[in-house]
Amino acid sequence: MAMAVEHQASTKRSVVITASQNIKLDNGKYVRYTTEQVEALERVYAECPKPSSLRRQQLIRECPILSNIEPKQIKVWFQNRRCREKQRKESSRLQTVNKKLSAMNKLLMEENDRLQKQVSQLVCENGYMRQQLHTGSAATDASCESVLTTPQQSLRDANNPAGLLSIAEETLAEFLSKATGTAVDWVQMPGMKPGPDSVGIFAISQSCSGVAARACGLVSLEPTKIVEILKDRPSWFRDCRNLEVFTMFPAGNGGTIELVYTQIFAPTTLAPARDFWTLRYTTTLENGSLVVCERSLSGSGAGPNPAAASQFVRGEMLPSGYLIRPCEGGGSIVHIVDHLNLEAWSVPEVLRPLYESSKVVAQKMTIAALRYIRQIAQESSGEVVYGVGRQPAVLRTLSQRLSRGFNDAVNGFSDDGWSLMNCDGAEDVIVAVNSTKNLNNSMNSSTSPPYLGGIICAKASMLFENVPPGVLVRFLREHRSEWADFNVDAYSAASVKANPYNTYPGMRPTRFTGSQIIMPLGHTIEHEEMLEVVRLEGQALGQEDPFMSRDIHLLQLCNGIDENSVGACSELIFAPIDEMFPDDAPLIPSGFRIIPLDPKSVDAKNALVTTHRTTLDLTSSLDVTPTPNHGSTDVSTCQTTRSVLTITFQFPFENSLAESVATMARQYVRSVINSVQRVAMAISPSGLSPCVGPKPSPGSPEALTLAQWICQSYMYHLGADLLSSGSVVGESLLKDLWQHQDAILCCSLKSQPVFIFANQSGLDMLETTLVSLQDITLDKMFDDSGRKALVPEFAKIMQQGYAHLPGGICMSTMGRHVTYEQAVAWKVLAADESTVHCLAFSFVNWSFL
C-alpha cells in the first residue's frame, strides 16, 4: 500500500514537471526578437552555426540585449536558423536541378524532332526505292539517283572576299544541318547516357565521310563569353600546338570571316602531326544565337610557311563549329560539332583505327570543349574552391604546361630546336636533343644552375593487347617504385634546385625509402583529370648533412583512369619541381600516354601481343586461376582490345656530358619499357595469351618450356621426380609446379643473380608479387652469414650440377625471417642439355618465425 502511494506521488510530481516544461516551451514559441537581438544572434551564427550550451550562456552574459531570453529559447532560435539555411540551400539546389532538367528536356525534344524528321525522310526514301524497284524503269532509276545524291558544291573563288563569303554561307548552312538537322546519322556515344548530372548529350557519326562527333549541353555563361573561350582552341584542346589567324574582315550582321592555320600534335611517335588551313565564320542568327563555323579551304599546299608545314600531314575539316543559344533565366545552350578527315592513309595500318574513330574525336575535342567551358562556368560562380592557395586559372595553366611540354617532346619539331642524335643501330628508343631549351632562360640567373646545356629526350612507342589503359596508368601512378629509378628522379630534380649543392655534378648518394605521398592540387568537375604533387621520400647514405631533406617533389597530371570512358586516352605526366615552386616554375615533363584502339578480330595463333614480347620471362606469364569451361567455343579467332603506349623522358644536361646523358636516357627508357611490360602482363586479364577464351591458359609457350626444363634438369641431376604427380609436359606440368608446396625459385646466372621465376609458394615466402620479383636479387634473401655459407656451394653446383643445402634462415622482402628444413639447388639446362639457362632452388617445409 505504501509503495502504491509513493508511486502515485512520483507520478504526480512527474506530471507537474512536464507541465511546467511545456509552459516554458510554449512561451518560447512566441518570443519576439528585436532587430538588435537578431543581429547579435546572426553574428554568432556566422562564426558558429551550432554553439554549445556554454557558448550560449556566455552569449547571454556578454550581450545585455539578450539577458531577458532563456538559454533554451536561444537554442531553439539556432535550431530554426540552421533549418532555414538548410531549406535555402536545398531550394537553391532544386532550382538548379530544375533549370538543368528544363534545358535537358528542351534538348531532348529537339533531338526527338530531329529523329522523327530523319525517320520520315528514310521512310520516304524507302518507299521511293520500292517504287523504282517495282517499275524497273532505268530512267526513273537515274532520277532516283539524282534525288538521293548530294549535289556537288559549286565552284567558288576563295581568293576574294565575295568568294569567301559564299563559302562561309554554305559552311553555315551545312553546319546547322549537322548541329540541329539530319545531315549526319548520329548515334549515342557509348557509355555516356544523358541525365541531370551529365555534362551533356553526346553523339558520334555512324556512317559518313570522315569522323564526326556532336555534343550539346547547358552552360551557365553568356554566349559571347563562350564564343571567346571556344575560339581560343589551344586553351582547351591539349593536342593543339598552334592556332594563328592570318586574315580577318567583316562579313555583315556584325560577323567576321577569318583564315586560320592550325597545327595539331601527333599523339604518338609512330605517326606524323596534322595541320589545317580553314575558313572560320562568326555570325549572329535572327533568333539571337551566336554561331562559329569552320571548314577547310581546298589545296594541300595552301596556308602560310610551306617549309614549316612540311612536317605535317594536311587534314581536312568538314563543316564544323559551335552554336550558342541564349537560355531564359541566364546561361546558354551549346551545340558543338567536330567533323574531320584525318587522312588515315598516312599512318601505319595498325594505327588507322585511331584516325578512323569518331569516339576518339569525341573525347579529345567535342566532349573536352564542353567540359572546359562548364569548368570555367563553375569556377566563375564560385562552385569550385581549392584549398591549396592557388587560383583555378593557375592550376589550369600548370596542367596545360605539363601536357604541352610532353607533346613537344613526343613530336620533336625541328622548328622548336629538336634534332635526332646518333642511334646505336636499334630503333626501339629514339633519342633527340634540344640545345635551345636552356633552363637558364626561364629561371633567375642568380639562382639557376649555371651549367645546363639543354634537354635530351628519349622516347618510344609500342603496342599492347588486352591491357586496360586506365588500370595500367593507375598502377603506374600508385606504385612508382615498380618501374622508376629514384636516382634518375634525383638527377632530373637537381635541375630545378636553386641550391648548387643539390645539382647533379655534386649530388650526394641517396636511397629511396619506397614511400611516396600524393597530395592533390585540383581536379576537373568530373574527376577525369587530376593535378597533384608527389613527394618521394629519400634518405642520405653518407654521414654528411644527415638532417638535409633528400625528398623529391614532382608535379603530376593524371587522366583517363576511368575504365568506362570509351575512346579516352590515359596519361601520367610528371615533372620535377622545387618544394616551394612558383607559378612560373620551369617544367621538364616526362611520362606515359596510352591510347586505346578499336577492338579487332585476330588470329590467336599469329597475334602479336606486344612489340617486345620476347623479352618477357615466366614471371610475367603465369595465369593459373581456374576458369570454368563454358563449352567448346572456337578460340582461334577472338576479339582483342589494343592500345598504343608512348613513353617519353626528358633530362637536362651539361654541354660536356651530352653523350653520357643520352646513353643513360636510352638505357633508362629501355629499363622502364621492360618494367611496364611486366606490369602490363601481370594485370592483363589474359596474361600473355593474345585472346581471351573459355579455355584456361596457364601461360605462354615460354612458360611451359621453362617449367619443363626445371623438372627435367631436377631428374637429370638428382635422379628423382620434382613433382609427385608425374606430369611431364604441357599445362598440367606448369600448373603442378605452380601449386607445389615447396618454394621453388629460379635466378639468372649473372654477377648479381636476379630472380626470374617463383611459384606461388615462393612468392608467399618472399612476400612479393610477380611484378616485383625481377627487382629482387639472390643476396637479399640472406644475411651476411647466410651469404658466406652460400658462396662455396656455388662451385659445387656448377661442378656436379646440384647441391643439398642445410636448413637455415632467410628473409622475405618485408624483412621477416623465414626458416626452412633444407634446400636443394640445381642447374636448369636448356633443351640441348649443355647450356645452363638459370639456377633453381627448392626450399622445403619453410615457415615464418
Side-chain angles (χ1 to χ4, degrees):
M1 184 68 179
M3 292 178 61
V5 172
E6 183 179 356
H7 175 71
Q8 184 177 4
S10 175
T11 304
K12 289 181 179 179
R13 284 196 302 269
S14 176
V15 170
V16 171
I17 292 173
T18 303
S20 175
Q21 290 175 346
N22 288 335
I23 291 172
K24 291 182 180 179
L25 289 176
D26 290 342
N27 292 336
K29 290 181 180 180
Y30 302 104
V31 171
R32 294 186 179 274
Y33 298 91
T34 64
T35 304
E36 293 79 6
Q37 289 173 333
V38 171
E39 290 177 353
L41 292 172
E42 287 288 352
R43 286 195 297 270
V44 176
Y45 181 83
E47 298 175 0
C48 179
K50 194 173 182 179
S52 63
S53 177
L54 294 176
R55 181 70 181 90
R56 293 194 299 269
Q57 293 177 4
Q58 181 184 0
L59 176 63
I60 294 175
R61 291 195 301 268
E62 294 176 352
C63 298
I65 57 176
L66 300 176
S67 58
N68 62 332
I69 302 178
E70 296 182 5
K72 187 171 294 185
Q73 294 169 340
I74 291 180
K75 179 181 179 181
V76 171
W77 185 92
F78 276 96
Q79 290 175 344
N80 293 338
R81 181 64 178 83
R82 290 194 299 272
C83 184
R84 290 197 303 272
E85 181 71 15
K86 184 177 180 181
Q87 290 175 346
R88 185 189 66 79
K89 292 181 178 179
E90 181 66 14
S91 176
S92 176
R93 189 189 69 82
L94 291 176
Q95 289 177 1
T96 303
V97 172
N98 182 63
K99 183 179 177 182
K100 291 176 63 176
L101 289 174
S102 299
M104 192 68 67
N105 181 60
K106 185 176 181 180
L107 292 175
L108 290 173
M109 290 177 63
E110 292 176 353
E111 180 72 5
N112 185 54
D113 291 341
R114 185 192 68 81
L115 292 174
Q116 288 182 351
K117 292 178 182 177
Q118 187 174 5
V119 169
S120 300
Q121 179 180 348
L122 292 174
V123 169
C124 292
E125 292 177 358
N126 185 47
Y128 189 82
M129 291 296 295
R130 286 177 179 273
Q131 180 181 358
Q132 299 307 311
L133 291 174
H134 181 70
T135 58
S137 171
T140 51
D141 282 345
S143 174
C144 173
E145 183 179 354
S146 65
V147 170
L148 295 179
T149 303
T150 304
Q152 294 183 353
Q153 299 177 1
S154 60
L155 297 177
R156 297 148 300 179
D157 184 6
N159 296 321
N160 62 75
L164 292 176
L165 181 59
S166 174
I167 297 174
E169 293 295 342
E170 289 190 18
T171 303
L172 174 63
E174 291 186 41
F175 162 68
L176 292 177
S177 67
K178 297 175 184 178
T180 60
T182 59
V184 174
D185 185 10
W186 300 109
V187 295
Q188 181 178 298
M189 177 77 175
M192 304 196 75
K193 295 182 179 180
D197 296 326
S198 63
V199 176
I201 302 174
F202 306 105
I204 56 176
S205 60
Q206 189 172 27
S207 57
C208 69
S209 174
V211 289
R214 188 185 69 170
C216 51
L218 174 67
V219 180
S220 55
L221 287 175
E222 294 303 314
T224 53
K225 179 65 175 177
I226 295 175
V227 168
E228 177 186 346
I229 295 172
L230 292 178
K231 290 180 73 172
D232 184 17
R233 188 173 286 139
S235 67
W236 56 265
F237 183 27
R238 294 288 175 81
D239 285 354
C240 183
R241 181 190 184 221
N242 183 40
L243 185 147
E244 194 169 355
V245 178
F246 279 84
T247 305
M248 181 175 67
F249 56 87
N253 288 335
T256 58
I257 292 178
E258 302 164 296
L259 298 185
V260 182
Y261 178 62
T262 308
Q263 295 176 341
I264 305 298
F265 286 113
T268 172
T269 61
L270 302 176
R274 298 293 188 270
D275 67 349
F276 297 87
W277 176 241
T278 58
L279 177 146
R280 187 166 68 184
Y281 180 36
T282 305
T283 187
T284 303
L285 302 182
E286 294 180 356
N287 60 4
S289 300
L290 289 179
V291 176
V292 180
C293 55
E294 191 171 3
R295 79 175 308 157
S296 286
L297 295 175
S298 61
S300 60
N305 196 355
S310 62
Q311 302 179 75
F312 298 84
V313 172
R314 179 60 52 86
E316 180 185 6
M317 180 180 293
L318 289 83
S320 307
Y322 320 109
L323 169 63
I324 300 99
R325 300 157 56 187
C327 191
E328 296 181 4
S332 308
I333 296 177
V334 182
H335 299 257
I336 302 175
V337 173
D338 291 302
H339 193 176
L340 306 173
N341 180 359
L342 296 174
E343 306 296 342
W345 58 266
S346 63
V347 301
E349 184 176 357
V350 70
L351 290 182
R352 289 181 186 174
L354 181 62
Y355 291 80
E356 297 172 343
S357 171
S358 295
K359 296 189 287 290
V360 174
V361 172
Q363 289 286 0
K364 282 195 167 189
M365 295 184 66
T366 319
I367 299 175
L370 189 57
R371 280 174 171 165
Y372 185 81
I373 55 178
R374 286 202 61 184
Q375 180 83 19
I376 298 294
Q378 293 198 6
E379 292 174 1
S380 302
S381 64
E383 295 181 44
V384 178
V385 179
Y386 301 121
V388 294
R390 297 181 190 259
Q391 295 296 323
V394 174
L395 299 180
R396 285 200 310 273
T397 301
L398 291 173
S399 299
Q400 291 164 357
R401 290 178 57 199
L402 282 174
S403 182
R404 183 176 183 86
F406 183 79
N407 279 324
D408 279 335
V410 169
N411 287 260
F413 293 113
S414 59
D415 55 344
D416 281 340
W418 290 102
S419 60
L420 295 179
M421 298 189 70
N422 295 330
C423 298
D424 61 354
E427 297 182 357
D428 56 337
V429 178
I430 302 171
V431 178
V433 61
N434 191 332
S435 298
T436 65
K437 287 197 172 186
N438 192 317
L439 290 186
N440 290 326
N441 298 331
S442 58
M443 297 177 67
N444 188 309
S445 60
S446 63
T447 60
S448 63
Y451 34 72
L452 292 179
I455 304 295
I456 283 179
C457 173
K459 52 193 175 182
S461 295
M462 66 204 69
L463 298 175
F464 282 111
E465 289 188 354
N466 298 329
V467 179
V471 176
L472 179 55
V473 166
R474 188 186 304 119
F475 186 94
L476 296 175
R477 170 178 174 263
E478 297 174 356
H479 303 277
R480 187 180 183 87
S481 61
E482 296 288 352
W483 56 267
D485 187 326
F486 182 81
N487 291 320
V488 175
D489 288 333
Y491 173 90
S492 299
S495 62
V496 299
K497 296 284 187 180
N499 187 352
Y501 180 86
N502 290 324
T503 51
Y504 42 82
M507 280 197 308
R508 298 294 191 267
T510 306
R511 179 176 64 86
F512 180 44
T513 64
S515 174
Q516 71 170 11
I517 300 174
I518 299 178
M519 298 168 283
L521 286 179
H523 55 78
T524 51
I525 53 178
E526 291 189 317
H527 294 259
E528 74 277 358
E529 180 176 285
M530 298 173 291
L531 184 67
E532 53 204 13
V533 171
V534 180
R535 187 177 75 193
L536 307 176
E537 296 183 344
Q539 206 173 59
L541 295 180
Q543 297 298 322
E544 301 179 12
D545 302 311
F547 299 105
M548 174 173 274
S549 173
R550 299 293 174 180
D551 295 349
I552 295 173
H553 293 81
L554 304 172
L555 182 65
Q556 183 166 275
L557 179 69
C558 180
N559 57 47
I561 61 176
D562 182 6
E563 301 173 45
N564 298 320
S565 296
V566 178
C569 75
S570 302
E571 294 177 327
L572 184 68
I573 304 173
F574 46 85
I577 56 173
D578 193 62
E579 184 175 359
M580 301 300 294
F581 70 102
D583 296 343
D584 59 347
L587 299 178
I588 311 175
S590 303
F592 308 88
R593 172 181 290 152
I594 310 175
I595 308 173
L597 304 175
D598 284 342
K600 180 182 179 182
S601 181
V602 299
D603 183 356
K605 296 180 180 179
N606 300 320
L608 177 64
V609 176
T610 180
T611 307
H612 302 281
R613 170 152 298 173
T614 56
T615 65
L616 298 177
D617 54 46
L618 183 61
T619 62
S620 304
S621 64
L622 286 174
D623 178 13
V624 296
T625 304
T627 307
N629 190 348
H630 299 289
S632 57
T633 306
D634 182 15
V635 295
S636 60
T637 60
C638 63
Q639 200 80 354
T640 63
T641 57
R642 301 178 300 166
S643 56
V644 56
L645 167 66
T646 298
I647 301 176
T648 299
F649 280 83
Q650 299 189 79
F651 303 95
F653 69 93
E654 181 187 353
N655 285 324
S656 61
L657 299 176
E659 290 296 333
S660 299
V661 174
T663 301
M664 180 271 291
R666 182 182 292 110
Q667 293 174 350
Y668 182 62
V669 169
R670 286 174 178 164
S671 172
V672 172
I673 288 173
N674 291 333
S675 299
V676 172
Q677 285 174 337
R678 294 200 307 268
V679 172
M681 295 307 104
I683 65 177
S684 173
S686 59
L688 281 181
S689 178
C691 297
V692 181
K695 185 178 179 180
S697 177
S700 68
E702 294 86 352
L704 298 174
T705 301
L706 181 54
Q708 187 172 349
W709 289 353
I710 293 173
C711 297
Q712 288 179 351
S713 299
Y714 188 90
M715 169 65 76
Y716 178 82
H717 294 301
L718 286 91
D721 287 328
L722 176 63
L723 305 177
S724 58
S725 61
S727 301
V728 291
V729 293
E731 294 181 359
S732 60
L733 180 142
L734 178 58
K735 184 175 181 181
D736 292 341
L737 183 66
W738 175 257
Q739 297 176 346
H740 198 282
Q741 62 180 359
D742 296 334
I744 299 175
L745 304 99
C746 292
C747 67
S748 59
L749 284 174
K750 297 181 179 179
S751 57
Q752 191 172 13
V754 178
F755 287 113
I756 61 173
F757 165 70
N759 66 351
Q760 183 62 64
S761 181
L763 295 177
D764 294 341
M765 185 181 77
L766 293 178
E767 294 188 290
T768 187
T769 63
L770 291 173
V771 176
S772 304
L773 184 67
Q774 293 189 355
D775 297 327
I776 304 172
T777 56
L778 180 62
D779 63 329
K780 289 183 179 180
M781 283 187 60
F782 303 96
D783 55 16
D784 291 338
S785 60
R787 283 191 288 269
K788 291 178 181 178
L790 187 62
V791 169
E793 299 295 336
F794 270 98
K796 183 188 296 185
I797 297 172
M798 300 307 296
Q799 182 177 2
Q800 70 179 22
Y802 70 96
H804 290 281
L805 308 178
I809 296 177
C810 61
M811 287 186 298
S812 73
T813 57
M814 305 301 292
R816 289 209 290 173
H817 287 85
V818 180
T819 179
Y820 55 92
E821 289 186 3
Q822 64 171 335
V824 181
W826 69 97
K827 293 189 297 185
V828 177
L829 304 177
D832 57 7
E833 295 187 355
S834 60
T835 303
V836 181
H837 181 73
C838 61
L839 292 181
F841 295 84
S842 176
F843 295 88
V844 180
N845 293 336
W846 66 271
S847 62
F848 290 109
L849 289 178

